[in-house]
Amino acid sequence: MAFSATFYPSSSPSLAFSSKTHKPIFTQTAYFSKSLTVKASTTLDKLSVDDKSHLPTKTNSWKWKFKENLINIYYEAHEGKSSDPSKNILMVPTISDVSTVEEWRSVARDIVQQTGQVNWRATIVDWPGLGYSDRPKIDYNADVMEKFLVDFINAPDGPINSSENDLVVFGGGHAATITVRAAKKGLVKPKAIAAVAPTWAGPLPIVFGRDSGMETRYGLLRGTLRAPAVGWMMYNMLVSNEKAIESQYKSHVYANPENVTPGIIESRYALTKKEGARYAPAAFLTGLLDPVQSREEFLELFAAMEGKTPVLVVSSKGSPKRSKAEMEALRGTKGVNKFVEVPGALLPQEEYPNLVAEELYRFLQENFESEA
């Protein structure tokens, strides 16, 4: 995400690295806090990401068994004050080198505090290799991330296990597309899906494509970032860099640079210093976490939801040109029940949580109030 690289796309493209901070081209989003009860709210007020009143009711970890690894997965539960039976929402962060549950906290707080016919409970989970989850050195790819999501949702001992199969999933960026892909395969069966600023192409592939020459260079870059000594040196110099993180947030992650606070940059920078921090981002950056390879496949995933699962797409007005084009391709397409647009760029759920929460809660009301 905050990686400084110079690419020369041509018939024989080359890749050069520099210690100088350039305007970054990588997309998308943490501080660990003590468990506190969520502050009650009856309105969808806008809160900054630094506001502590939207902290989770409970934080915990769930152990995910993947091959020979037992990976601690960090998650948060957000609940209102009602004692009535609740329906579950799973909120999944946008995938990036600084992906974090924090991007959904304000939205979670606002929705669970609503006093409608349905009592909602929200769980936010960090991906393996990202956020506050463990970051083992495994071969991260889209299939691994999909398997994690499926296991987390379906595990009998999981945080959101529900015999009534009442789960709704809200995903940002790649998380939305991975959710839809798993649903198309029948591996998960959510009652509804909301895709917020959905994406499918990693930072380098969406800019430079996937021809054989570029794929070779992506592989070299990925291998270098994963290497024991030089990998950390490169990661620290080019990714784990406060100025670079601030630059990319102001250029395309947030739509309004004034919304990028020192607290946001500090928390994201801290994520890049966690043990194993470079492994999953190296895969994301070079396209290994992309759930599809083309816009056609992207549209086919959503089309498969037609008549099966209600789907809301929340597009953002200020997204980068290429990402915005993919979101717009979903407008009016088969399988998308509702398409709305909100301010923001690649993280509207964090930058404009009140507006995103309003659209998501309206979607919930439209699809579940009559069932209550």
Side-chain angles (χ1 to χ4, degrees), residues 32-66:
F32 184 82
S33 55
K34 294 181 180 179
S35 177
L36 296 175
T37 300
V38 180
K39 180 181 177 182
S41 171
T42 57
T43 62
L44 295 179
D45 304 324
K46 181 177 187 290
L47 289 180
S48 73
V49 72
D50 297 322
D51 193 313
K52 305 302 189 295
S53 65
H54 57 292
L55 296 178
T57 306
K58 179 178 67 175
T59 64
N60 210 330
S61 66
W62 174 73
K63 293 188 181 298
W64 180 47
K65 187 175 182 181
F66 177 69

PDB file of all heavy atoms in Angstrom, residues 32-66:
ATOM      1  N   PHE A  32      -5.291  -1.472  19.494  1.00  0.00           N
ATOM      2  CA  PHE A  32      -5.976  -2.470  20.320  1.00  0.00           C
ATOM      3  C   PHE A  32      -6.445  -1.775  21.583  1.00  0.00           C
ATOM      4  O   PHE A  32      -5.708  -1.071  22.231  1.00  0.00           O
ATOM      5  CB  PHE A  32      -5.024  -3.605  20.695  1.00  0.00           C
ATOM      6  CG  PHE A  32      -5.698  -4.700  21.457  1.00  0.00           C
ATOM      7  CD1 PHE A  32      -6.411  -5.667  20.778  1.00  0.00           C
ATOM      8  CD2 PHE A  32      -5.638  -4.751  22.825  1.00  0.00           C
ATOM      9  CE1 PHE A  32      -7.049  -6.674  21.465  1.00  0.00           C
ATOM     10  CE2 PHE A  32      -6.266  -5.747  23.514  1.00  0.00           C
ATOM     11  CZ  PHE A  32      -6.972  -6.716  22.835  1.00  0.00           C
ATOM     12  N   SER A  33      -7.685  -1.973  21.887  1.00  0.00           N
ATOM     13  CA  SER A  33      -8.240  -1.256  23.031  1.00  0.00           C
ATOM     14  C   SER A  33      -8.836  -2.220  24.041  1.00  0.00           C
ATOM     15  O   SER A  33      -9.153  -3.354  23.728  1.00  0.00           O
ATOM     16  CB  SER A  33      -9.314  -0.286  22.548  1.00  0.00           C
ATOM     17  OG  SER A  33     -10.276  -0.976  21.805  1.00  0.00           O
ATOM     18  N   LYS A  34      -9.011  -1.733  25.253  1.00  0.00           N
ATOM     19  CA  LYS A  34      -9.646  -2.529  26.293  1.00  0.00           C
ATOM     20  C   LYS A  34     -11.117  -2.700  25.980  1.00  0.00           C
ATOM     21  O   LYS A  34     -11.732  -1.891  25.329  1.00  0.00           O
ATOM     22  CB  LYS A  34      -9.480  -1.836  27.644  1.00  0.00           C
ATOM     23  CG  LYS A  34      -8.026  -1.761  28.107  1.00  0.00           C
ATOM     24  CD  LYS A  34      -7.931  -1.094  29.449  1.00  0.00           C
ATOM     25  CE  LYS A  34      -6.482  -1.022  29.925  1.00  0.00           C
ATOM     26  NZ  LYS A  34      -6.364  -0.355  31.231  1.00  0.00           N
ATOM     27  N   SER A  35     -11.666  -3.794  26.467  1.00  0.00           N
ATOM     28  CA  SER A  35     -13.076  -4.073  26.202  1.00  0.00           C
ATOM     29  C   SER A  35     -13.959  -3.137  27.020  1.00  0.00           C
ATOM     30  O   SER A  35     -13.852  -3.062  28.231  1.00  0.00           O
ATOM     31  CB  SER A  35     -13.374  -5.526  26.573  1.00  0.00           C
ATOM     32  OG  SER A  35     -14.725  -5.810  26.404  1.00  0.00           O
ATOM     33  N   LEU A  36     -14.827  -2.407  26.319  1.00  0.00           N
ATOM     34  CA  LEU A  36     -15.756  -1.494  26.952  1.00  0.00           C
ATOM     35  C   LEU A  36     -17.123  -1.665  26.333  1.00  0.00           C
ATOM     36  O   LEU A  36     -17.245  -2.065  25.185  1.00  0.00           O
ATOM     37  CB  LEU A  36     -15.293  -0.037  26.761  1.00  0.00           C
ATOM     38  CG  LEU A  36     -13.967   0.365  27.421  1.00  0.00           C
ATOM     39  CD1 LEU A  36     -13.626   1.792  27.014  1.00  0.00           C
ATOM     40  CD2 LEU A  36     -14.058   0.269  28.929  1.00  0.00           C
ATOM     41  N   THR A  37     -18.157  -1.353  27.099  1.00  0.00           N
ATOM     42  CA  THR A  37     -19.505  -1.411  26.555  1.00  0.00           C
ATOM     43  C   THR A  37     -19.688  -0.309  25.533  1.00  0.00           C
ATOM     44  O   THR A  37     -19.247   0.815  25.741  1.00  0.00           O
ATOM     45  CB  THR A  37     -20.537  -1.247  27.681  1.00  0.00           C
ATOM     46  OG1 THR A  37     -20.344  -2.312  28.613  1.00  0.00           O
ATOM     47  CG2 THR A  37     -21.957  -1.303  27.127  1.00  0.00           C
ATOM     48  N   VAL A  38     -20.342  -0.634  24.437  1.00  0.00           N
ATOM     49  CA  VAL A  38     -20.576   0.350  23.402  1.00  0.00           C
ATOM     50  C   VAL A  38     -21.492   1.439  23.927  1.00  0.00           C
ATOM     51  O   VAL A  38     -22.502   1.171  24.568  1.00  0.00           O
ATOM     52  CB  VAL A  38     -21.238  -0.321  22.179  1.00  0.00           C
ATOM     53  CG1 VAL A  38     -21.497   0.707  21.085  1.00  0.00           C
ATOM     54  CG2 VAL A  38     -20.343  -1.426  21.648  1.00  0.00           C
ATOM     55  N   LYS A  39     -21.165   2.687  23.673  1.00  0.00           N
ATOM     56  CA  LYS A  39     -21.999   3.804  24.095  1.00  0.00           C
ATOM     57  C   LYS A  39     -23.287   3.836  23.280  1.00  0.00           C
ATOM     58  O   LYS A  39     -23.257   3.709  22.071  1.00  0.00           O
ATOM     59  CB  LYS A  39     -21.231   5.117  23.900  1.00  0.00           C
ATOM     60  CG  LYS A  39     -22.014   6.364  24.308  1.00  0.00           C
ATOM     61  CD  LYS A  39     -21.186   7.601  24.055  1.00  0.00           C
ATOM     62  CE  LYS A  39     -21.966   8.856  24.382  1.00  0.00           C
ATOM     63  NZ  LYS A  39     -21.192  10.085  24.101  1.00  0.00           N
ATOM     64  N   ALA A  40     -24.404   3.995  23.969  1.00  0.00           N
ATOM     65  CA  ALA A  40     -25.689   3.992  23.281  1.00  0.00           C
ATOM     66  C   ALA A  40     -25.828   5.209  22.392  1.00  0.00           C
ATOM     67  O   ALA A  40     -25.352   6.288  22.707  1.00  0.00           O
ATOM     68  CB  ALA A  40     -26.825   3.987  24.305  1.00  0.00           C
ATOM     69  N   SER A  41     -26.510   5.022  21.252  1.00  0.00           N
ATOM     70  CA  SER A  41     -26.763   6.123  20.339  1.00  0.00           C
ATOM     71  C   SER A  41     -28.065   5.848  19.616  1.00  0.00           C
ATOM     72  O   SER A  41     -28.297   4.753  19.136  1.00  0.00           O
ATOM     73  CB  SER A  41     -25.627   6.247  19.321  1.00  0.00           C
ATOM     74  OG  SER A  41     -25.953   7.172  18.328  1.00  0.00           O
ATOM     75  N   THR A  42     -28.927   6.838  19.542  1.00  0.00           N
ATOM     76  CA  THR A  42     -30.196   6.660  18.841  1.00  0.00           C
ATOM     77  C   THR A  42     -30.198   7.342  17.493  1.00  0.00           C
ATOM     78  O   THR A  42     -31.171   7.320  16.770  1.00  0.00           O
ATOM     79  CB  THR A  42     -31.351   7.236  19.676  1.00  0.00           C
ATOM     80  OG1 THR A  42     -31.085   8.620  19.951  1.00  0.00           O
ATOM     81  CG2 THR A  42     -31.499   6.485  20.979  1.00  0.00           C
ATOM     82  N   THR A  43     -29.069   7.963  17.132  1.00  0.00           N
ATOM     83  CA  THR A  43     -28.951   8.609  15.833  1.00  0.00           C
ATOM     84  C   THR A  43     -27.685   8.154  15.161  1.00  0.00           C
ATOM     85  O   THR A  43     -26.770   7.634  15.788  1.00  0.00           O
ATOM     86  CB  THR A  43     -28.909  10.144  15.984  1.00  0.00           C
ATOM     87  OG1 THR A  43     -27.757  10.502  16.755  1.00  0.00           O
ATOM     88  CG2 THR A  43     -30.159  10.653  16.671  1.00  0.00           C
ATOM     89  N   LEU A  44     -27.618   8.372  13.849  1.00  0.00           N
ATOM     90  CA  LEU A  44     -26.435   7.984  13.103  1.00  0.00           C
ATOM     91  C   LEU A  44     -25.488   9.169  13.006  1.00  0.00           C
ATOM     92  O   LEU A  44     -25.230   9.725  11.944  1.00  0.00           O
ATOM     93  CB  LEU A  44     -26.850   7.504  11.708  1.00  0.00           C
ATOM     94  CG  LEU A  44     -27.692   6.235  11.715  1.00  0.00           C
ATOM     95  CD1 LEU A  44     -28.078   5.853  10.302  1.00  0.00           C
ATOM     96  CD2 LEU A  44     -26.952   5.096  12.382  1.00  0.00           C
ATOM     97  N   ASP A  45     -24.966   9.584  14.166  1.00  0.00           N
ATOM     98  CA  ASP A  45     -24.050  10.716  14.202  1.00  0.00           C
ATOM     99  C   ASP A  45     -22.723  10.318  13.593  1.00  0.00           C
ATOM    100  O   ASP A  45     -22.273   9.193  13.728  1.00  0.00           O
ATOM    101  CB  ASP A  45     -23.800  11.163  15.652  1.00  0.00           C
ATOM    102  CG  ASP A  45     -25.093  11.497  16.381  1.00  0.00           C
ATOM    103  OD1 ASP A  45     -25.995  12.036  15.716  1.00  0.00           O
ATOM    104  OD2 ASP A  45     -25.186  11.202  17.582  1.00  0.00           O
ATOM    105  N   LYS A  46     -22.038  11.274  12.967  1.00  0.00           N
ATOM    106  CA  LYS A  46     -20.714  11.004  12.410  1.00  0.00           C
ATOM    107  C   LYS A  46     -19.691  11.065  13.534  1.00  0.00           C
ATOM    108  O   LYS A  46     -19.646  12.007  14.294  1.00  0.00           O
ATOM    109  CB  LYS A  46     -20.345  12.033  11.334  1.00  0.00           C
ATOM    110  CG  LYS A  46     -18.977  11.759  10.714  1.00  0.00           C
ATOM    111  CD  LYS A  46     -18.702  12.760   9.602  1.00  0.00           C
ATOM    112  CE  LYS A  46     -17.426  12.403   8.864  1.00  0.00           C
ATOM    113  NZ  LYS A  46     -16.227  12.615   9.646  1.00  0.00           N
ATOM    114  N   LEU A  47     -18.881  10.018  13.649  1.00  0.00           N
ATOM    115  CA  LEU A  47     -17.803   9.987  14.623  1.00  0.00           C
ATOM    116  C   LEU A  47     -16.485   9.865  13.905  1.00  0.00           C
ATOM    117  O   LEU A  47     -16.381   9.187  12.888  1.00  0.00           O
ATOM    118  CB  LEU A  47     -17.956   8.792  15.578  1.00  0.00           C
ATOM    119  CG  LEU A  47     -19.083   8.854  16.605  1.00  0.00           C
ATOM    120  CD1 LEU A  47     -19.050   7.583  17.438  1.00  0.00           C
ATOM    121  CD2 LEU A  47     -18.924  10.065  17.492  1.00  0.00           C
ATOM    122  N   SER A  48     -15.477  10.494  14.427  1.00  0.00           N
ATOM    123  CA  SER A  48     -14.156  10.321  13.856  1.00  0.00           C
ATOM    124  C   SER A  48     -13.625   8.968  14.277  1.00  0.00           C
ATOM    125  O   SER A  48     -14.087   8.370  15.240  1.00  0.00           O
ATOM    126  CB  SER A  48     -13.215  11.421  14.356  1.00  0.00           C
ATOM    127  OG  SER A  48     -12.871  11.192  15.703  1.00  0.00           O
ATOM    128  N   VAL A  49     -12.605   8.480  13.548  1.00  0.00           N
ATOM    129  CA  VAL A  49     -12.036   7.170  13.874  1.00  0.00           C
ATOM    130  C   VAL A  49     -11.343   7.201  15.222  1.00  0.00           C
ATOM    131  O   VAL A  49     -11.104   6.178  15.834  1.00  0.00           O
ATOM    132  CB  VAL A  49     -11.047   6.740  12.762  1.00  0.00           C
ATOM    133  CG1 VAL A  49      -9.779   7.556  12.825  1.00  0.00           C
ATOM    134  CG2 VAL A  49     -10.731   5.252  12.867  1.00  0.00           C
ATOM    135  N   ASP A  50     -11.026   8.406  15.731  1.00  0.00           N
ATOM    136  CA  ASP A  50     -10.355   8.515  17.011  1.00  0.00           C
ATOM    137  C   ASP A  50     -11.323   8.530  18.189  1.00  0.00           C
ATOM    138  O   ASP A  50     -10.921   8.503  19.335  1.00  0.00           O
ATOM    139  CB  ASP A  50      -9.520   9.799  17.057  1.00  0.00           C
ATOM    140  CG  ASP A  50      -8.415   9.778  16.014  1.00  0.00           C
ATOM    141  OD1 ASP A  50      -7.845   8.698  15.819  1.00  0.00           O
ATOM    142  OD2 ASP A  50      -8.145  10.823  15.407  1.00  0.00           O
ATOM    143  N   ASP A  51     -12.645   8.591  17.934  1.00  0.00           N
ATOM    144  CA  ASP A  51     -13.637   8.636  19.000  1.00  0.00           C
ATOM    145  C   ASP A  51     -13.699   7.276  19.684  1.00  0.00           C
ATOM    146  O   ASP A  51     -13.938   6.256  19.051  1.00  0.00           O
ATOM    147  CB  ASP A  51     -14.998   8.999  18.417  1.00  0.00           C
ATOM    148  CG  ASP A  51     -15.995   9.365  19.502  1.00  0.00           C
ATOM    149  OD1 ASP A  51     -16.102   8.629  20.496  1.00  0.00           O
ATOM    150  OD2 ASP A  51     -16.671  10.388  19.320  1.00  0.00           O
ATOM    151  N   LYS A  52     -13.506   7.255  20.994  1.00  0.00           N
ATOM    152  CA  LYS A  52     -13.420   5.995  21.726  1.00  0.00           C
ATOM    153  C   LYS A  52     -14.790   5.437  22.111  1.00  0.00           C
ATOM    154  O   LYS A  52     -14.890   4.363  22.686  1.00  0.00           O
ATOM    155  CB  LYS A  52     -12.575   6.181  22.992  1.00  0.00           C
ATOM    156  CG  LYS A  52     -11.188   6.746  22.747  1.00  0.00           C
ATOM    157  CD  LYS A  52     -10.365   5.879  21.801  1.00  0.00           C
ATOM    158  CE  LYS A  52      -8.916   6.340  21.753  1.00  0.00           C
ATOM    159  NZ  LYS A  52      -8.751   7.680  21.186  1.00  0.00           N
ATOM    160  N   SER A  53     -15.877   6.157  21.828  1.00  0.00           N
ATOM    161  CA  SER A  53     -17.189   5.711  22.270  1.00  0.00           C
ATOM    162  C   SER A  53     -17.724   4.532  21.475  1.00  0.00           C
ATOM    163  O   SER A  53     -18.749   3.979  21.822  1.00  0.00           O
ATOM    164  CB  SER A  53     -18.185   6.872  22.189  1.00  0.00           C
ATOM    165  OG  SER A  53     -18.377   7.273  20.850  1.00  0.00           O
ATOM    166  N   HIS A  54     -17.049   4.143  20.391  1.00  0.00           N
ATOM    167  CA  HIS A  54     -17.546   3.041  19.591  1.00  0.00           C
ATOM    168  C   HIS A  54     -16.686   1.798  19.761  1.00  0.00           C
ATOM    169  O   HIS A  54     -16.583   0.973  18.866  1.00  0.00           O
ATOM    170  CB  HIS A  54     -17.636   3.450  18.117  1.00  0.00           C
ATOM    171  CG  HIS A  54     -16.348   3.926  17.529  1.00  0.00           C
ATOM    172  ND1 HIS A  54     -15.753   5.096  17.897  1.00  0.00           N
ATOM    173  CD2 HIS A  54     -15.554   3.370  16.574  1.00  0.00           C
ATOM    174  CE1 HIS A  54     -14.634   5.252  17.186  1.00  0.00           C
ATOM    175  NE2 HIS A  54     -14.491   4.222  16.395  1.00  0.00           N
ATOM    176  N   LEU A  55     -16.057   1.642  20.924  1.00  0.00           N
ATOM    177  CA  LEU A  55     -15.258   0.461  21.199  1.00  0.00           C
ATOM    178  C   LEU A  55     -16.169  -0.753  21.378  1.00  0.00           C
ATOM    179  O   LEU A  55     -17.343  -0.622  21.684  1.00  0.00           O
ATOM    180  CB  LEU A  55     -14.407   0.680  22.444  1.00  0.00           C
ATOM    181  CG  LEU A  55     -13.357   1.787  22.309  1.00  0.00           C
ATOM    182  CD1 LEU A  55     -12.608   1.961  23.614  1.00  0.00           C
ATOM    183  CD2 LEU A  55     -12.396   1.487  21.169  1.00  0.00           C
ATOM    184  N   PRO A  56     -15.640  -1.960  21.163  1.00  0.00           N
ATOM    185  CA  PRO A  56     -16.484  -3.157  21.179  1.00  0.00           C
ATOM    186  C   PRO A  56     -16.977  -3.543  22.553  1.00  0.00           C
ATOM    187  O   PRO A  56     -16.382  -3.206  23.573  1.00  0.00           O
ATOM    188  CB  PRO A  56     -15.542  -4.231  20.619  1.00  0.00           C
ATOM    189  CG  PRO A  56     -14.174  -3.749  20.974  1.00  0.00           C
ATOM    190  CD  PRO A  56     -14.236  -2.259  20.829  1.00  0.00           C
ATOM    191  N   THR A  57     -18.093  -4.283  22.569  1.00  0.00           N
ATOM    192  CA  THR A  57     -18.589  -4.867  23.805  1.00  0.00           C
ATOM    193  C   THR A  57     -17.626  -5.942  24.290  1.00  0.00           C
ATOM    194  O   THR A  57     -17.399  -6.100  25.479  1.00  0.00           O
ATOM    195  CB  THR A  57     -19.974  -5.499  23.561  1.00  0.00           C
ATOM    196  OG1 THR A  57     -20.829  -4.516  22.988  1.00  0.00           O
ATOM    197  CG2 THR A  57     -20.580  -5.995  24.864  1.00  0.00           C
ATOM    198  N   LYS A  58     -17.055  -6.672  23.348  1.00  0.00           N
ATOM    199  CA  LYS A  58     -16.169  -7.786  23.709  1.00  0.00           C
ATOM    200  C   LYS A  58     -15.115  -7.977  22.623  1.00  0.00           C
ATOM    201  O   LYS A  58     -15.400  -7.841  21.436  1.00  0.00           O
ATOM    202  CB  LYS A  58     -16.984  -9.069  23.858  1.00  0.00           C
ATOM    203  CG  LYS A  58     -16.165 -10.303  24.216  1.00  0.00           C
ATOM    204  CD  LYS A  58     -17.045 -11.525  24.403  1.00  0.00           C
ATOM    205  CE  LYS A  58     -17.695 -11.965  23.114  1.00  0.00           C
ATOM    206  NZ  LYS A  58     -18.468 -13.221  23.264  1.00  0.00           N
ATOM    207  N   THR A  59     -13.884  -8.272  23.034  1.00  0.00           N
ATOM    208  CA  THR A  59     -12.841  -8.660  22.099  1.00  0.00           C
ATOM    209  C   THR A  59     -12.366 -10.054  22.469  1.00  0.00           C
ATOM    210  O   THR A  59     -12.391 -10.445  23.638  1.00  0.00           O
ATOM    211  CB  THR A  59     -11.642  -7.698  22.135  1.00  0.00           C
ATOM    212  OG1 THR A  59     -11.023  -7.765  23.434  1.00  0.00           O
ATOM    213  CG2 THR A  59     -12.083  -6.265  21.870  1.00  0.00           C
ATOM    214  N   ASN A  60     -11.941 -10.813  21.483  1.00  0.00           N
ATOM    215  CA  ASN A  60     -11.544 -12.185  21.765  1.00  0.00           C
ATOM    216  C   ASN A  60     -10.738 -12.699  20.588  1.00  0.00           C
ATOM    217  O   ASN A  60     -10.510 -11.992  19.601  1.00  0.00           O
ATOM    218  CB  ASN A  60     -12.780 -13.061  21.991  1.00  0.00           C
ATOM    219  CG  ASN A  60     -12.506 -14.203  22.954  1.00  0.00           C
ATOM    220  OD1 ASN A  60     -11.385 -14.688  23.041  1.00  0.00           O
ATOM    221  ND2 ASN A  60     -13.537 -14.618  23.678  1.00  0.00           N
ATOM    222  N   SER A  61     -10.333 -13.947  20.671  1.00  0.00           N
ATOM    223  CA  SER A  61      -9.645 -14.587  19.552  1.00  0.00           C
ATOM    224  C   SER A  61     -10.219 -15.981  19.342  1.00  0.00           C
ATOM    225  O   SER A  61     -10.705 -16.617  20.281  1.00  0.00           O
ATOM    226  CB  SER A  61      -8.135 -14.671  19.793  1.00  0.00           C
ATOM    227  OG  SER A  61      -7.844 -15.529  20.879  1.00  0.00           O
ATOM    228  N   TRP A  62     -10.194 -16.398  18.103  1.00  0.00           N
ATOM    229  CA  TRP A  62     -10.685 -17.718  17.711  1.00  0.00           C
ATOM    230  C   TRP A  62      -9.550 -18.422  16.986  1.00  0.00           C
ATOM    231  O   TRP A  62      -8.845 -17.818  16.168  1.00  0.00           O
ATOM    232  CB  TRP A  62     -11.901 -17.561  16.793  1.00  0.00           C
ATOM    233  CG  TRP A  62     -12.417 -18.839  16.196  1.00  0.00           C
ATOM    234  CD1 TRP A  62     -13.099 -19.816  16.829  1.00  0.00           C
ATOM    235  CD2 TRP A  62     -12.303 -19.257  14.829  1.00  0.00           C
ATOM    236  NE1 TRP A  62     -13.423 -20.821  15.956  1.00  0.00           N
ATOM    237  CE2 TRP A  62     -12.938 -20.508  14.711  1.00  0.00           C
ATOM    238  CE3 TRP A  62     -11.721 -18.691  13.679  1.00  0.00           C
ATOM    239  CZ2 TRP A  62     -13.007 -21.210  13.506  1.00  0.00           C
ATOM    240  CZ3 TRP A  62     -11.780 -19.375  12.484  1.00  0.00           C
ATOM    241  CH2 TRP A  62     -12.427 -20.632  12.406  1.00  0.00           C
ATOM    242  N   LYS A  63      -9.347 -19.691  17.294  1.00  0.00           N
ATOM    243  CA  LYS A  63      -8.235 -20.415  16.686  1.00  0.00           C
ATOM    244  C   LYS A  63      -8.678 -21.065  15.378  1.00  0.00           C
ATOM    245  O   LYS A  63      -9.606 -21.871  15.361  1.00  0.00           O
ATOM    246  CB  LYS A  63      -7.692 -21.464  17.653  1.00  0.00           C
ATOM    247  CG  LYS A  63      -7.025 -20.853  18.878  1.00  0.00           C
ATOM    248  CD  LYS A  63      -6.337 -21.899  19.713  1.00  0.00           C
ATOM    249  CE  LYS A  63      -5.701 -21.285  20.945  1.00  0.00           C
ATOM    250  NZ  LYS A  63      -4.667 -20.296  20.614  1.00  0.00           N
ATOM    251  N   TRP A  64      -8.014 -20.687  14.306  1.00  0.00           N
ATOM    252  CA  TRP A  64      -8.292 -21.240  12.985  1.00  0.00           C
ATOM    253  C   TRP A  64      -7.214 -22.265  12.648  1.00  0.00           C
ATOM    254  O   TRP A  64      -6.018 -21.941  12.621  1.00  0.00           O
ATOM    255  CB  TRP A  64      -8.322 -20.137  11.931  1.00  0.00           C
ATOM    256  CG  TRP A  64      -8.601 -20.635  10.540  1.00  0.00           C
ATOM    257  CD1 TRP A  64      -9.570 -21.498  10.169  1.00  0.00           C
ATOM    258  CD2 TRP A  64      -7.890 -20.280   9.346  1.00  0.00           C
ATOM    259  NE1 TRP A  64      -9.527 -21.714   8.810  1.00  0.00           N
ATOM    260  CE2 TRP A  64      -8.511 -20.973   8.276  1.00  0.00           C
ATOM    261  CE3 TRP A  64      -6.807 -19.444   9.075  1.00  0.00           C
ATOM    262  CZ2 TRP A  64      -8.059 -20.859   6.959  1.00  0.00           C
ATOM    263  CZ3 TRP A  64      -6.362 -19.315   7.771  1.00  0.00           C
ATOM    264  CH2 TRP A  64      -6.990 -20.022   6.718  1.00  0.00           C
ATOM    265  N   LYS A  65      -7.634 -23.489  12.375  1.00  0.00           N
ATOM    266  CA  LYS A  65      -6.688 -24.532  12.000  1.00  0.00           C
ATOM    267  C   LYS A  65      -6.552 -24.560  10.492  1.00  0.00           C
ATOM    268  O   LYS A  65      -7.507 -24.834   9.755  1.00  0.00           O
ATOM    269  CB  LYS A  65      -7.152 -25.900  12.502  1.00  0.00           C
ATOM    270  CG  LYS A  65      -6.119 -27.002  12.276  1.00  0.00           C
ATOM    271  CD  LYS A  65      -6.555 -28.322  12.906  1.00  0.00           C
ATOM    272  CE  LYS A  65      -5.483 -29.389  12.719  1.00  0.00           C
ATOM    273  NZ  LYS A  65      -5.899 -30.684  13.317  1.00  0.00           N
ATOM    274  N   PHE A  66      -5.359 -24.256  10.011  1.00  0.00           N
ATOM    275  CA  PHE A  66      -5.081 -24.261   8.578  1.00  0.00           C
ATOM    276  C   PHE A  66      -3.832 -25.097   8.340  1.00  0.00           C
ATOM    277  O   PHE A  66      -2.726 -24.719   8.726  1.00  0.00           O
ATOM    278  CB  PHE A  66      -4.883 -22.845   8.050  1.00  0.00           C
ATOM    279  CG  PHE A  66      -4.514 -22.788   6.594  1.00  0.00           C
ATOM    280  CD1 PHE A  66      -5.435 -23.149   5.620  1.00  0.00           C
ATOM    281  CD2 PHE A  66      -3.245 -22.403   6.196  1.00  0.00           C
ATOM    282  CE1 PHE A  66      -5.104 -23.111   4.274  1.00  0.00           C
ATOM    283  CE2 PHE A  66      -2.893 -22.358   4.845  1.00  0.00           C
ATOM    284  CZ  PHE A  66      -3.823 -22.714   3.887  1.00  0.00           C
TER     285      PHE A  66
END
